[in-house]
Amino acid sequence: MFKKMKGTYDILPTEVAKWQKLEKVIRNVSKIYNYKEIRTPIFEKSELFHRGVGEDTDIVSKETYDFIDRGKRANTLRPEGTAGVVRSYIENKLYTSNVPVQKMYYVGNMFRYERPQKGRYRQFSQFGAEAFGSNSPQLDAEIIAYAVSILKALKIKDVNVHINSIGDAESKKNYKEALLTYLAPDIDKLCSDCQVRYTKNPLRILDCKIDAENPILQKAPKPLDYLTETAKIHFVKTCNYLTAMGINYTVDTSLVRGLDYYTHTVFEVKANLDTLGAQNTICGGGRYNNLVKSLEGPDTPGVGFAFGLERLMFALESINFTGDPDYLHLYMMILGEDQKEDGLQLVNRCRLGGLYTDLDFLDKGMKGKWKQAANLKARFVAIFGEEEQKNGTINIKDQETGKEETIKKTQLYNYVVAELMKPSSNCEGCSTESCDECEDV
Ligand code: HAM
């Protein structure tokens, strides 16, 4: 028996409704914030990620799925969405649009060769958003507000927004020098990963999990202390705008994030929920003012985030999130071989009219067919046998009320539609859009 590859998982038909509902919420909130969907390829030229995300980041140096294609080109399965969106923004010259601030979102699979555990996979899904063309801290605040709105719409509580600034290029340079000088005498007292980071990616030392409690790191200089005046103003304004919008956040002076492209604001959303396990960062993002230029585009600022959808799903377990219920409008029972052609015409007519319709393909007996109708949660069951064919009728039963009738077979579609339009017995006869009982009619 073939088994799925390590770090991957199936979403079975019984579970897919939850994912569809999650995506529905994502799309609704994105519309509210006026972010448009973009779909970019799952693989790109390897160099895009090397230059975009950063050669020395864990993601690129240890975790990419790389392959050489038959044309001897180096390809990489996307480990994240930002680099591909930036590539597309540049290649399609979206910066020339008459909408100068381009706001986009995406939902799709990403691939990282990581050690799998709960909430950490090799193929996983992200919902991400990117906004290009403005360096205003209003946009930093908007992107965080957008992420928080997603969680509100999903009714996920117990989340904390952690925010920090690593500043512009000059601030980053000054900070890096200060950090290297500070750590030089003690670097051999830090973990082996940090010793490698010291030469390759010193900022990442700050969020080392192994040395988190080490006083050497706790007393290390922090990026906020090395911000230029402009960077400081940017950060203060971002925080003020968040406060003005009523968004709670914690300034986390050690937050640096694992991708090289960030400048100014960086943030993460962490959830304190038992259903999540150790991987409790459900969203990460920040500003990247040099990325578009470094990938050969115009000098254009950008800011964005990405949620891990599997982690959101685990968070949703804590609030009993369910997908829209599965059901059929009509289950058709065709009782004999000679009735199949006429019966199929009836089924076809109902489907063309939009009724969710199914039937038996295994020539089961009556008992088996009734069982199927119940398992598929059919509201109406139509019975079409020899007698009905002779009389041009069809027998129909409403599984909700138990009402049974014999009607003309040509009326089947209209009959089911008319019955579905009647307020359900559970409904109090309202006409509000949000009424679950009426919604699907
Ligand atoms: P990231 O922090 O690498 O950022 O990933 C964002 C989120 O994806 C994480 O917070 C986590 O929820 C989820 N995630 C990451 N790796 C895995 C994995 N192996 N399994 C399951 N979930 C995972 C980015 O990817 C940036 N592109 C975000 C961004 C967009 N920054 C600006 N724009």
Side-chain angles (χ1 to χ4, degrees):
M1 182 177 61
F2 287 109
K3 298 221 165 171
K4 60 186 176 300
M5 296 295 280
K6 206 171 157 187
T8 67
Y9 62 93
D10 300 310
I11 303 175
L12 299 176
T14 44
E15 298 154 10
V16 86
K18 274 199 283 192
W19 288 81
Q20 288 168 338
K21 185 131 172 218
L22 172 60
E23 286 180 25
K24 197 160 138 189
V25 171
I26 286 170
R27 291 177 203 287
N28 284 345
V29 177
S30 299
K31 225 178 173 120
I32 291 170
Y33 279 81
N34 195 29
Y35 282 64
K36 315 273 188 225
E37 186 175 359
I38 180 166
R39 300 184 184 194
T40 63
I42 269 172
F43 62 91
E44 301 269 359
K45 209 183 237 187
S46 301
E47 199 192 337
L48 177 75
F49 300 112
H50 287 247
R51 277 174 49 190
V53 177
E55 205 84 61
D56 296 322
T57 58
D58 283 355
I59 295 175
V60 168
S61 65
K62 301 186 199 158
E63 297 169 5
T64 49
Y65 277 89
D66 302 310
F67 65 99
I68 303 288
D69 66 20
R70 289 166 199 270
K72 311 239 179 319
R73 286 171 288 256
N75 299 260
T76 294
L77 296 185
R78 61 184 184 191
E80 59 99 58
T82 313
V85 173
V86 171
R87 195 263 314 131
S88 178
Y89 174 80
I90 300 168
E91 187 173 348
N92 294 293
K93 297 194 173 52
L94 299 186
Y95 48 84
T96 60
S97 155
N98 60 3
V99 179
V101 176
Q102 287 279 308
K103 308 203 288 187
M104 295 177 266
Y105 77 93
Y106 48 89
V107 179
N109 287 134
M110 309 293 157
F111 304 84
R112 295 185 193 176
Y113 193 81
E114 291 199 83
R115 195 140 41 85
Q117 64 177 100
K118 183 173 180 180
R120 191 161 72 194
Y121 304 95
R122 291 184 173 172
Q123 175 177 317
F124 61 101
S125 319
Q126 279 188 345
F127 149 53
E130 316 292 347
F132 299 94
S134 165
N135 187 33
S136 168
Q138 269 176 273
L139 203 54
D140 303 51
E142 172 177 285
I143 208 94
I144 295 171
Y146 175 17
V148 169
S149 291
I150 293 282
L151 296 167
K152 277 209 179 115
L154 291 168
K155 303 189 174 62
I156 297 178
K157 296 195 180 95
D158 282 325
V159 290
N160 284 317
V161 178
H162 295 248
I163 162 169
N164 193 18
S165 173
I166 52 173
D168 48 22
E170 192 186 332
S171 322
K172 276 169 84 173
K173 184 170 160 280
N174 292 342
Y175 174 64
K176 198 167 142 182
E177 275 167 17
L179 184 66
L180 290 175
T181 312
Y182 166 82
L183 289 175
D186 293 316
I187 189 61
D188 52 343
K189 298 189 188 109
L190 297 182
C191 75
S192 56
D193 279 353
C194 284
Q195 294 181 23
V196 176
R197 288 180 191 132
Y198 185 81
T199 46
K200 294 198 158 171
N201 201 356
L203 255 70
R204 288 306 313 273
I205 295 178
L206 275 204
D207 66 357
C208 172
K209 303 281 174 290
I210 301 167
D211 276 319
E213 304 297 320
N214 189 329
I216 299 172
L217 281 199
Q218 292 188 335
K219 287 187 201 137
K222 298 292 184 303
L224 278 188
D225 300 324
Y226 290 83
L227 296 187
T228 59
E229 207 45 42
T230 339
K232 221 179 271 173
I233 293 169
H234 190 102
F235 186 58
V236 169
K237 283 191 173 173
T238 302
C239 292
N240 289 347
Y241 296 152
L242 286 174
T243 307
M245 286 191 283
I247 291 166
N248 294 327
Y249 59 88
T250 310
V251 175
D252 180 346
T253 53
S254 296
L255 180 65
V256 285
R257 309 259 311 128
L259 300 90
D260 274 359
Y261 48 62
Y262 292 111
T263 54
H264 293 284
T265 314
V266 285
F267 71 97
E268 283 182 350
V269 184
K270 292 184 193 286
N272 309 312
L273 296 163
D274 295 341
T275 49
L276 264 169
Q279 301 302 321
N280 68 344
T281 306
I282 51 181
C283 174
R287 181 167 274 287
Y288 45 85
N289 281 354
N290 303 322
L291 181 60
V292 180
K293 193 164 176 219
S294 77
L295 294 176
E296 296 165 24
D299 194 358
T300 311
V303 58
F305 65 67
F307 277 92
L309 293 193
E310 293 76 10
R311 294 184 195 179
L312 269 183
M313 272 299 173
F314 283 126
L316 286 167
E317 276 179 13
S318 67
I319 54 156
N320 265 331
F321 178 80
T322 50
D324 293 334
D326 237 353
Y327 63 91
L328 287 180
H329 293 131
L330 179 66
Y331 186 80
M332 183 73 161
M333 293 189 187
I334 304 173
L335 300 190
E337 196 55 41
D338 292 343
Q339 283 73 50
K340 283 191 177 163
E341 288 176 19
D342 284 355
L344 282 180
Q345 274 183 0
L346 289 169
V347 167
N348 213 29
R349 163 83 186 95
C350 290
R351 284 178 168 164
L352 284 175
L355 293 180
Y356 308 166
T357 310
D358 211 347
L359 65 160
D360 171 28
F361 295 98
L362 299 172
D363 289 333
K364 289 203 182 260
M366 282 306 267
K367 209 168 148 204
K369 288 193 201 313
W370 279 108
K371 205 166 158 197
Q372 267 308 296
N375 288 346
L376 294 170
K377 301 187 187 71
R379 165 80 190 270
F380 291 92
V381 175
I383 303 169
F384 189 66
E386 204 180 324
E387 190 70 17
E388 287 79 13
Q389 190 180 36
K390 206 162 33 166
N391 300 333
T393 58
I394 195 156
N395 217 303
I396 184 136
K397 182 171 179 201
D398 183 337
Q399 296 283 77
E400 198 176 285
T401 62
K403 185 170 85 170
E404 256 185 278
E405 281 190 78
T406 302
I407 56 169
K408 279 194 189 150
K409 72 173 191 188
T410 48
Q411 307 226 299
L412 175 63
Y413 172 76
N414 287 344
Y415 177 89
V416 175
V417 171
E419 289 296 309
L420 287 170
M421 297 288 279
K422 289 183 185 165
S424 134
S425 53
N426 301 328
C427 174
E428 295 180 350
C430 67
S431 56
T432 57
E433 266 181 46
S434 57
C435 174
D436 286 342
E437 295 301 331
C438 310
E439 204 175 41
D440 289 312
V441 174

